[in-house]
Amino acid sequence: MDSRSVSNFELKAINAWDKRNFTRGFKSLFLEYCSNSSVHGVKYFGCRRRTLFEKIWWVVVFLLSVYGCCRLIQNVYRKWDQTPVIVSFAEKSTPVWQIPFPAVTVCPETKARSEYLNFTQVYFQMNDTYRDAMANETYDRFRAVAQVCDAHILRDVPLNQTSDPQCVDLLRNVSMPLESALFFCRWRNEAGKCSDHFTETITDEGICFTFNSQSAGEMLRVDELHRDYEYISEKRQAPLWSLEQGYAENTDLDTYPVRVLGAGARAGLFILLNLYEGDTDFICRGPVQGFKILLHSSSEYPQVSKQYYRVPLHQEVIISVKPQMISTSAGLREYTPDRRQCFFNHERYLRFFKVYTQQNCEMECIANYTLRRCGCVKFSMPRDDRTEVCGASMIDCYNEAEDELLEEDVKYIVNKSYDFRAKCNCLPGCTSIQYDAEISQADLDWKSLFAAYRQSLDDENAGVQFARLTIYFKEAQFITSKRSELFGVTDFLANCGGLLGLFMGVSLLSLAELIYFCSIRPFTILRGYRAKRRESNVFYDPPPTVTVVKAKEF
């Protein structure tokens, strides 16, 4: 054997010795961790005084503990991820002067004055005579009013109109004017003209009158809307109030939207309503004549046909309002809207509305679906210059479109990708105000009152039919609700730490131990071993080649 072959043989022997020590090093590292770890049960894994059966038993118990701990932590995580928000009552009550008085929208059931359109007469003419016998102006007015009447009465009437760009103008020409329908008003016990408080609003019920609503420039994106007519004629601005922030600190008492200083009828709104007997029409709106009333937030566009209160003729209706307000804590602003289940105003963009509310979003969603389904929208829905207004022959289409949109939540409960309503994503607003009401009603014998005062109506007011409405806050303070964190990051970590401590006695320092023995400690051992190896190479002196002889020479 030559010197070169001896050197290779010895190098292989040294490498084999190095590998054995390397494996022994990691084994000693594991035993060191087991003997020093603060995790319960681990110290029995490497104990030399334990039998193999005892070690297996402790391994099984440890794995079961890890499994149980992981399952419970998974449940805690699911609860933290899916239901992190709780709605609870606020710690303090809120005075009513911190919120606006409800916006009140009044819609007469009489849709046309008889001097401009006798709806009942034209209705029977349409069924008994031919269309050519009727004046074009009367026919156009009839078809416009048909869009705010009961839909089922017109299904057999020939209307022949797919679009009607003049619908709102025609309705405005034939409807009751504000000064006639709202005969007398009193706000916070001060009498005045109703036109000082109410303005016209285009709703699904036709021309209505709204009190305490935001202006069109503050509620709507006017640049995105058409220029044919105004949806809201209110011009008063509300620079010191917003739905999320409320009233500014420097706001005086006579601000807009208006507010009251306390509860009771003296601090509320009183309206004397009027419809003329000669204008009453039972074919268009059915047997209940009078007014529809909607209470809503000042920043919410009214949709009267969805929910309303009735004020019949010759009746006095008293509405005692109980506000319900939900706010959201600042800690939830970092959450996604899907987790907190609400939108702040800046998080959800609406094409036609500046202010996000769930009702505004639903209205825009219905308009979009109706446009896709019918190729046009109802006159009260928001639209741009390129979208047509549906005519009278499309009444069934846009009514069916609204019904279909409501059904989609149930039809596509499994696969929401086909649910147009789900795509609209109309979550509640993170700050919202609703006005619940308690109603009392009594007969209004206004004729006997006039007779008692020995007064008679002049020719101008002959045929009047009065109804009286009073709206006020029931209590001076109310309890608000608040969304807040049910499980924050701190709560989640605390729950995880408690479970880890219960099942395995693990703490943050236990995790630091594991990291130490998996990274820093092996690096330290490996570094010391390499230093020892370099030292061995320096002092290693290979045997001289002259001492190596072949066996045949002996």
Side-chain angles (χ1 to χ4, degrees), residues 40 104 119 137 199 219 269 293 354-355 379 400 455-456 488:
H40 294 176
V104 181
F119 188 86
E137 184 179 6
T199 55
M219 186 191 302
L269 176 66
I293 307 297
K354 289 182 178 179
V355 181
F379 66 90
E400 291 172 1
Q455 293 184 357
S456 60

Side-chain angles (χ1 to χ4, degrees), residues 155-382:
R155 286 175 180 163
D156 297 328
V157 177
L159 297 172
N160 302 324
Q161 187 187 41
T162 56
S163 64
D164 187 4
Q166 303 300 320
C167 180
V168 172
D169 292 334
L170 294 170
L171 287 174
R172 186 177 282 116
N173 290 336
V174 302
S175 64
M176 290 286 294
L178 188 153
E179 294 79 7
S180 299
L182 308 183
F183 197 83
F184 174 79
C185 290
R186 186 170 65 239
W187 165 244
R188 292 198 309 199
N189 211 32
E190 294 184 5
K193 294 181 179 180
C194 292
S195 57
D196 295 337
H197 304 288
F198 284 83
T199 55
E200 284 188 357
T201 303
I202 307 300
T203 74
D204 47 3
E205 290 284 330
I207 308 299
C208 298
F209 315 109
T210 302
F211 168 82
N212 207 33
S213 172
Q214 276 190 303
S215 64
E218 292 175 320
M219 186 191 302
L220 304 173
R221 300 188 189 276
V222 182
D223 296 339
E224 295 288 337
L225 295 170
H226 61 87
R227 305 293 194 278
D228 297 338
Y229 51 84
E230 287 185 331
Y231 289 90
I232 302 172
S233 59
E234 179 62 68
K235 304 300 181 185
R236 286 171 289 184
Q237 301 292 313
L240 300 179
W241 179 83
S242 66
L243 183 59
E244 290 187 356
Q245 303 298 327
Y247 288 102
E249 293 182 358
N250 59 338
T251 306
D252 57 19
L253 299 179
D254 296 325
T255 186
Y256 193 83
V258 296
R259 53 181 175 173
V260 297
L261 302 181
R266 289 176 58 86
L269 176 66
F270 172 88
I271 314 171
L272 184 62
L273 303 166
N274 167 51
L275 289 179
Y276 289 98
E277 185 176 2
D279 295 330
T280 304
D281 192 294
F282 292 92
I283 293 293
C284 179
R285 299 299 295 183
V288 180
Q289 296 296 308
F291 298 85
K292 287 182 177 180
I293 307 297
L294 174 64
L295 305 181
H296 55 97
S297 171
S298 298
S299 56
E300 188 174 284
Y301 197 88
Q303 300 182 62
V304 183
S305 61
K306 286 192 172 182
Q307 50 183 357
Y308 54 86
Y309 304 104
R310 280 196 180 274
V311 180
L313 296 174
H314 310 293
Q315 294 284 315
E316 179 181 33
V317 176
I318 297 176
I319 299 180
S320 179
V321 179
K322 299 174 63 178
Q324 288 189 359
M325 181 176 178
I326 299 180
S327 60
T328 302
S329 64
L332 291 179
R333 286 187 174 271
E334 301 301 324
Y335 284 63
T336 62
D338 290 335
R339 292 192 67 194
R340 75 170 97 91
Q341 285 297 294
C342 69
F343 281 116
F344 287 103
N345 190 56
H346 67 278
E347 292 178 324
R348 180 71 170 88
Y349 177 84
L350 296 178
R351 181 185 177 188
F352 298 114
F353 293 93
K354 289 182 178 179
V355 181
Y356 178 86
T357 68
Q358 189 173 27
Q359 292 296 327
N360 291 347
C361 179
E362 291 283 358
M363 187 173 185
E364 188 167 304
C365 181
I366 292 173
N368 293 334
Y369 186 81
T370 303
L371 178 61
R372 190 179 76 169
R373 170 77 160 72
C374 305
C376 58
V377 298
K378 191 174 181 178
F379 66 90
S380 60
M381 295 178 180

Side-chain angles (χ1 to χ4, degrees), residues 337-338 343 348 356 361 365 420-428:
D338 290 335
F343 281 116
R348 180 71 170 88
Y356 178 86
C361 179
C365 181
F420 191 92
R421 185 182 176 91
K423 294 177 182 178
C424 294
N425 198 18
C426 293
L427 295 175

